């Protein structure tokens, strides 16, 4: 259709490469299909999967456009047919998509949109969907968390764990532990977020310290992004009937040396991996509803906070990706259009 409008979007030179390969391209503006909305993007959040996808190392779901980005905020500019959700043109929204958020417009299922509360800025709202929905999924759906249980969030100052610590605290966790690579990050988790205690994996054997802190009991739910290097210690740190939720393998996928798997029987430990982006829309929508139910009122009254590390202009996306690659951040990196 020759009259289709165009828009600016971030593309990757030659399809894959380093941060420097990102550039602003002009591509056709998407058209909203049935039950979709076209959102004029105000801000989008960066996630680690964006770095992997940019390097050509992430399996992109078939329904995703080429453009990076899964979380955004903005205003609805068009609605597709058969829209039964309570959205209208001009509504301020934020949401989760299979891809395409690094652009001026995104076509997305209206079932994955949430009305933006006036109390949140567009920058804050853009940092919620992927991280808070992933934390909700890890804690409740996979981790089967119950009030009164204890939780360990690895990479405590990562965006998902920042969300998870707040969710666990509000849900009545008996104790919330974190691991992180600096005292500054641990202090942030304990003092700013309300974690019970943190362990520095660079200077401490965190599994031993955790067992000491829990009088040998261990923790009920462990959320891990590191993978192979933590596999044995996760089994060691898990409580009786403990659940270990694997969300990423940032430390690699092959364990070194022999692994003692006796905790699987001795402690009845369950290990389960999970992803979000590869899930069907029904599953994602259920999580969206859980987020609205568990968190939206708390964003409104300030109980839950979105920690934004830095906001970049759309055109400075190369710098934004480099900052994320530095692993120095506590909280979200956001780009605005």
């Amino acid at each position: 259709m020759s009259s289709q409008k165009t828009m600016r979007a971030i593309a990757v030179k030659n399809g894959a490469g380093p941060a420097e390969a990102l550039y602003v391209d002009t591509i056709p503006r998407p058209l909203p299909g049935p039950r979709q909305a076209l959102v004029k993007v105000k801000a989008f959040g960066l996630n680690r999967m964006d770095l992997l996808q940019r390097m050509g190392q992430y399996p992109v779901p078939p329904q995703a456009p080429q453009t990076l980005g899964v979380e955004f905020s903005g205003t609805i500019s068009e609605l597709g047919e058969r829209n039964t959700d309570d959205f209208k043109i001009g509504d301020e929204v934020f949401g989760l998509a299979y891809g395409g958020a690094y652009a001026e417009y995104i076509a997305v299922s209206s079932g994955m949109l949430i009305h933006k509360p006036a109390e949140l800025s567009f920058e804050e709202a853009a940092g919620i969907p992927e991280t808070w929905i992933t934390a909700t999924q890890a804690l409740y759906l996979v981790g089967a968390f119950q009030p009164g249980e204890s939780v360990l969030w690895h990479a405590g100052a990562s965006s998902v764990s920042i969300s998870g610590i707040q969710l666990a605290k509000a849900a009545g966790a008996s104790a919330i532990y974190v691991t992180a690579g600096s005292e500054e990050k641990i202090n942030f988790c304990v003092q700013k977020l309300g974690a019970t205690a943190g362990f520095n994996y660079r200077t401490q054997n965190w599994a031993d310290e955790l067992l000491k802190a829990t009088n040998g009991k261990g923790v009920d739910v462990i959320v891990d992004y590191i993978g192979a290097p933590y596999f044995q210690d996760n089994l060691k740190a898990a409580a009786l009937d403990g659940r270990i939720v694997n969300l990423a393998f940032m430390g690699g996928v092959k364990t070194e040396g022999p692994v003692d798997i006796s905790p699987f029987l001795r402690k009845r430990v369950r290990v389960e991996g999970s992803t979000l982006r590869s899930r069907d829309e029904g599953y994602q929508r259920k999580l969206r509803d859980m987020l609205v139910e568990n968190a939206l009122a708390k964003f409104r009254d300030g109980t839950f906070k979105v920690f934004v590390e830095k906001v970049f202009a759309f055109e400075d996306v190369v710098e934004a990706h480099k900052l994320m690659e530095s692993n120095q951040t506590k909280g979200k990196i956001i780009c605005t259009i």
Side-chain angles (χ1 to χ4, degrees):
M1 195 168 93
S2 57
S3 64
Q4 191 175 348
K5 299 184 176 87
T6 59
M7 66 173 182
R8 292 182 307 151
I10 302 296
V12 188
K13 284 181 199 119
N14 305 320
E20 290 81 1
L22 297 168
Y23 71 102
V24 179
D25 196 8
T26 300
I27 64 171
R29 187 189 294 185
L31 301 164
R35 299 191 185 84
Q36 282 193 327
L38 185 72
V39 176
K40 187 177 194 321
V41 177
K42 289 261 196 190
F44 57 85
L46 270 63
N47 290 285
R48 287 212 170 264
M49 72 175 100
D50 303 351
L51 306 182
L52 293 170
Q53 187 180 333
R54 186 201 74 216
M55 296 185 287
Q57 294 168 5
Y58 191 94
V60 181
Q63 64 274 58
Q66 285 298 297
T67 308
L68 298 170
V70 297
E71 59 181 353
F72 60 90
S73 63
T75 53
I76 294 179
S77 68
E78 275 180 57
L79 287 167
E81 310 158 17
R82 302 209 298 279
N83 251 300
T84 50
D85 294 284
D86 62 332
F87 292 106
K88 55 189 190 306
I89 289 170
D91 281 357
E92 297 185 346
V93 292
F94 62 105
L96 188 66
Y98 285 107
Y102 285 28
E104 290 181 310
Y105 289 88
I106 186 168
V108 62
S109 160
S110 51
M112 289 312 297
L113 293 175
I114 300 171
H115 288 284
K116 182 183 86 63
E119 294 85 347
L120 289 175
S121 68
F122 280 105
E123 290 83 357
E124 288 169 325
I128 292 172
E130 170 66 22
T131 42
W132 283 82
I133 286 177
T134 298
T136 300
Q137 175 194 25
L139 192 64
Y140 291 108
L141 284 192
V142 187
F145 171 82
Q146 297 295 323
E149 291 188 322
S150 56
V151 189
L152 165 64
W153 295 89
H154 285 304
S158 68
S159 291
V160 176
S161 289
I162 287 172
S163 317
I165 293 162
Q166 296 180 72
L167 280 168
K169 191 178 171 200
S174 57
I176 303 162
Y177 301 101
V178 298
T179 60
S182 72
E183 293 311 309
E184 186 205 357
K185 286 180 175 179
I186 287 168
N187 292 338
F188 169 77
C189 293
V190 173
Q191 290 157 18
K192 281 265 199 316
L193 303 176
T196 312
F199 311 106
N200 186 332
Y201 64 79
R202 293 183 204 279
T203 59
Q204 295 175 288
N205 180 316
W206 64 262
D208 287 347
E209 294 301 323
L210 185 104
L211 287 170
K212 270 185 227 161
T214 57
N215 296 322
K217 179 181 178 290
V219 281
D220 299 304
V221 180
I222 296 175
V223 182
D224 178 41
Y225 322 87
I226 311 304
Y230 281 11
F231 187 75
Q232 184 74 78
D233 279 340
N234 282 337
L235 289 175
K236 185 173 168 182
L240 194 64
D241 293 312
R243 285 86 67 201
I244 299 164
V245 184
N246 258 108
L247 296 180
F249 301 122
M250 286 170 65
V253 295
K254 293 207 163 46
T255 55
E256 303 251 333
V259 174
D260 173 7
I261 60 172
S262 66
F264 283 118
L265 296 186
R266 198 162 38 79
K267 297 201 276 191
R268 301 189 296 266
V269 172
R270 172 159 75 80
V271 177
E272 189 174 333
S274 194
T275 57
L276 178 60
R277 195 175 180 183
S278 60
R279 301 287 191 159
D280 65 54
E281 205 182 284
Y283 181 93
Q284 293 197 1
R285 192 171 177 153
K286 179 164 102 178
L287 280 164
R288 177 207 70 164
D289 294 345
M290 284 174 78
L291 180 73
V292 169
E293 207 175 296
N294 286 318
L296 207 57
K298 292 185 174 73
F299 285 123
R300 284 211 166 94
D301 69 17
T303 308
F304 284 169
K305 290 185 172 58
V306 184
F307 289 84
V308 175
E309 173 85 18
K310 194 159 183 192
V311 177
F312 289 87
F314 178 67
E315 296 78 6
D316 298 329
V317 69
V318 171
E319 300 311 310
H321 268 235
K322 283 182 169 171
L323 178 61
M324 180 165 258
E325 285 174 332
S326 76
N327 289 331
Q328 298 303 306
T329 55
K330 301 184 296 292
K332 292 299 292 191
I333 299 169
I334 304 290
C335 287
T336 54
I337 302 183

